[in-house]
Structures are given as C-alpha cells and as structure tokens.
Amino acid sequence: MQNTALLSKLVSRLSLGICIVDQNYNILFCNDFFTDRLGILHQDAALPNLLELFPHEARFLKKKINSVFVLNNASFSYWEHRPHLFQFRSSRPITGEETLMFQNVEFFPLDVDAQQVNTVCMVVQDVTELASYYQAEKALSQQLEQEHVGLMELNKKLEAAQNQLLQSEKMAAIGQLAAGVAHEINNPVGFVSSNLQSLQDYNTKLFKLVQFYQKLFAKVNQPGYQALERDMLKRQQFAFISTDLPELLQESIDGLERVAAIVKNLKAFSHVDSSEWQYANIIDGLENTLKIAANQIKYKAEVHRLYQPNLPELYCQPMQLNQVFLNLLVNAAQAIEDKGDIYIEVAATESAITIAIKDTGVGIEKKHLQKIFEPFFTTKPVGTGTGLGLSLSYSILQKHKANLSVESEPGEGSCFTITLPKLDPEQLSELLASNW
C-alpha cells in the first residue's frame, strides 16, 4: 500500500506529462504536469473529454489515438512536425522567459485485454530547451549560408566588373591601334588620290591633243598618211581605250574616296579623345558605327533609318556609346538567319533621347530575357560569342544614367531601346558622385 502511494506521488510529480484516455477520449487520469497547466482542480474532480479540451488539435489527436486502438501499436508526434500539440507554456531555466512548449508526444496502448485496447496513455516530454538550441543552430546555419551566398554573388560581381574592365581596356587599346592604323593608311591614300586626280587631268589633256591631231589629219589630203593613222588607231584599240580609260580613272578615284571615308569613320569611331565626356551628335555616332559594321550587316539586312530632325547634342562619352551601338547592331544582324531588316529610330523629348534598334531575327526566348545582361551569358554557339557584349553595354549605359530595355518574341525579332537622359555636366557629376 505504501509503495502504491509512493508510485502515485512519483507519477504525479514527474516532469513528463501523463494522460490516460478511454475509447471515447474521456480522460481517466492525468498527472500534475497536465492539471497544473490546464487549471484542473483535484484529481477527484470530474475530468473533461480530451477532444473538448483541445478542439484545435481534436482531429489530429483523434487520428493518433484511434491508430493505437486499432493497431495496438505505439504512435508518435515529434516537435519538428507539430511543435505545440498541447498549448502549454514553458519557462526557460535561466532567463525565466515563457514561451509555448515544444513537445514530443508518445501514444501507446496501456490496458489491453485479449488484443483489445481499452485505454491509451499519452506521455508528453517538454523539449523546449532542445528545440531552442536546434532552432538557434539552424538559424545560425541559415545566416551563414546566406552570407556565403552573398559572398558568392559579390565574387561574381567582382569577376564581372574585372572582365568588363578588361574588355574596356581591350577596346581602348584597339581604338588606339585603329586610330594609328587609320592615320598610317590616310597618308598613302592622300597622295594616291592626289596623283589620280592629276592623272585624270593629264588624261583629259592628252585626249584633247589626240583629237586635235585627228582633225589635222582629216584636213590633210594624204590618203597614205590617213590609212596609216587608221591602221595605228585600230591596232592600238584607241576607240576602246578612249572610252574605258576615263571610266577606269573615275572608278579608281571613287574607290579611293570610299577608302578615305572608311578611314575617316574608323578614326571617328576609335578616337581616343572620344572616351572623354563631351557634347556629341548621336546620329553621327550611329552613322559612323553603321559604316564600321557595314560588312557584317550588308549581307544580312537592309537598314531603315527614322531620325528625328534637329536633334540636340548630348553630353556623353561618344566612343563608349558607339561601342553600345556596335554591339546592338552586330547582335541584330547575327539574329537574322537569311535576309531581313534592321530599323533604327531616334527621337527626343524634353528630358531624354531614345534610340530603338529593332530586327526581324529569330527573337529571344522569355526564359532568357532576364539573363541577357548577365556577364558571360550567350545563346550563340560555342566560340562565336563571349557573352560580354550586352553586359558591357549595360554597364556603359549605367554610367550615362541611361536605361536599356528589350522586347522580344521568338520568331518575330527583338527591339532594344536606349533612353539617354539629357544631363548637363553639373547634373551628371552630381549623380555620379551621389552613387559613388
């Protein structure tokens, strides 16, 4: 009898919650762990129905208890899946802070008669401290993971910035080289052009002299000399030469003028001074770029221009913007598989200048639209693209406080629109300084 009383006291004062229910979910017994937290008075008082005590968890409790009655096997509820099955409070041992109790609950058959379960016992273990430690470790792990992801993103941005800087340095070096080559070509082109002009003048004078002699022979009544003249003119194909030579000279002069125009455009496109901020004409930059890219465009597309007249000059870095135009125009030409069209529209408002470059190429898939400005992203075959063109263009336009947007439909082509704000040197300097 004494042992039974001791056992009863032990069960009542355990730091585990013990609750016994019958098949109708009526509470037959619960220790102090339960009664203290539920406000139930003495054990002799009538105990309520478990499902009525915990209506919000009634469905889950009923399912767990029924599985024990039917299967005669234990069932469990862990705090990771259902942290607060019973809405009990828990007090931290050191801080005294009260929080909802995290619980592990075991349901097991207690009174079994001929394989028939009559009662089910629930044992509730307070694992708040353990759960708190686990959650703190999990939060720390997630924080470290986020910091790791942030560092990886930062490394990617640094790598992209480094590659864009290298690309810019390469373009500057190419520009200096091109300017030097253009200067060297310009000298021989100049004197060859001058010589051809002189040769054309001499040719005109020589033909006039020959025509004068022909008229003299016609007036001299000497059939023998006239026959020799006709024979010589025929043998030397003078009739053909007299018509072909002026045409050859004119074609050569026209060709040299084209070479001179290409050299001029090359110098304008790659001029080192143009990397500095200055007022420049956007249309002149586009036209120079079109001439530089003519070899890549002329076999693929016809260029249609729609320029608003009397456009104001823009304070910008002309060489850098020319690089953006070149990237967009070459991309447009490469997007056209056979033969198509490229439309260039330039317009101005009170606050900005917009340049729209549209092609009738293959278009861009929607899943790629968000990635096209990322460094090294390209849809071109391996070996035909670095994936830096649009990324570098985007970076250049950011320095101009400009916006670059794209609209595209697969099979219908793409349209890239640049919006360059009209800013004077003071406004631009203030914006760049504020971002720095």
Side-chain angles (χ1 to χ4, degrees), residues 308 310-312 346-354 422:
Q308 179 179 318
N310 303 318
L311 278 175
V346 183
T349 63
E350 291 184 1
S351 59
I353 293 177
T354 59
K422 294 178 182 177

Side-chain angles (χ1 to χ4, degrees), residues 50-339:
L50 180 70
L51 302 186
E52 293 175 358
L53 266 180
F54 303 100
H56 296 298
E57 295 291 349
R59 184 176 179 183
F60 180 79
L61 286 168
K62 187 176 181 179
K63 177 181 176 182
K64 284 290 185 181
I65 293 170
N66 285 347
S67 71
V68 178
F69 279 120
V70 173
L71 302 175
N72 192 16
N73 283 322
S75 183
F76 300 88
S77 170
Y78 295 104
W79 73 267
E80 293 96 337
H81 305 120
R82 214 172 196 91
H84 313 296
L85 180 58
F86 300 106
Q87 299 293 307
F88 295 156
R89 308 292 296 181
S90 176
S91 179
R92 299 291 178 89
I94 298 176
T95 63
E97 178 188 359
E98 283 200 355
T99 59
L100 279 176
M101 181 190 294
F102 290 84
Q103 308 144 14
N104 285 339
V105 183
E106 181 180 1
F107 304 80
F108 62 88
L110 183 63
D111 182 15
V112 182
D113 183 17
Q115 298 298 316
Q116 177 66 39
V117 179
N118 298 317
T119 58
V120 171
C121 180
M122 295 177 293
V123 178
V124 181
Q125 181 185 6
D126 182 359
V127 293
T128 303
E129 190 173 356
L130 175 66
S132 300
Y133 288 145
Y134 179 83
Q135 287 180 326
E137 288 182 0
K138 186 177 180 181
L140 180 60
S141 177
Q142 289 176 342
Q143 181 182 352
L144 291 173
E145 181 64 26
Q146 289 176 352
E147 289 177 358
H148 176 70
V149 171
L151 287 173
M152 293 293 291
E153 289 295 324
L154 182 59
N155 284 335
K156 286 182 180 179
K157 289 180 180 178
L158 287 173
E159 184 180 358
Q162 182 183 16
N163 281 285
Q164 287 179 350
L165 181 60
L166 289 173
Q167 187 78 353
S168 297
E169 290 176 350
K170 287 180 182 177
M171 289 307 302
I174 292 171
Q176 290 177 338
L177 179 63
V181 171
H183 178 73
E184 292 299 322
I185 293 175
N186 199 44
N187 289 334
V189 165
F191 68 73
V192 171
S193 177
S194 176
N195 290 347
L196 277 176
Q197 291 286 354
S198 299
L199 182 60
Q200 189 178 43
D201 292 339
Y202 298 160
N203 177 67
T204 302
K205 292 177 180 179
L206 285 173
F207 274 114
K208 286 182 178 179
L209 183 61
V210 170
Q211 289 171 359
F212 173 73
Y213 286 130
Q214 285 180 317
K215 290 177 181 178
L216 283 180
F217 267 102
K219 290 181 179 181
V220 175
N221 190 14
Q222 293 289 336
Y225 290 126
Q226 291 176 348
L228 286 173
E229 179 200 14
R230 289 192 296 272
D231 181 62
M232 177 60 72
L233 292 175
K234 183 178 180 181
R235 281 190 294 161
Q236 300 302 326
Q237 298 182 323
F238 181 77
F240 172 75
I241 291 173
S242 62
T243 56
D244 191 46
L245 183 55
E247 292 178 2
L248 287 177
L249 286 171
Q250 189 57 52
E251 287 175 1
S252 299
I253 291 171
D254 292 342
L256 272 176
E257 288 176 352
R258 289 177 59 188
V259 172
I262 291 171
V263 170
K264 180 181 177 182
N265 292 324
L266 185 61
K267 288 177 69 177
F269 180 83
S270 60
H271 202 283
V272 177
D273 292 340
S274 296
S275 63
E276 302 298 327
W277 290 93
Q278 58 185 269
Y279 283 98
N281 188 300
I282 294 297
I283 291 178
D284 288 346
L286 276 167
E287 288 300 318
N288 286 332
T289 306
L290 280 168
K291 289 167 184 173
I292 293 297
N295 192 55
Q296 298 187 60
I297 296 175
K298 64 182 179 181
Y299 300 110
K300 302 292 290 292
E302 182 179 352
V303 178
H304 306 270
R305 299 165 173 84
L306 184 58
Y307 297 157
Q308 179 179 318
N310 303 318
L311 278 175
E313 289 190 336
L314 184 75
Y315 189 69
C316 62
Q317 289 178 300
M319 179 182 175
Q320 299 292 319
L321 289 184
N322 287 352
Q323 179 63 45
V324 175
F325 301 151
L326 181 65
N327 289 336
L328 296 180
L329 289 167
V330 170
N331 283 350
Q334 292 177 345
I336 297 170
E337 292 182 338
D338 297 319
K339 189 72 175 177

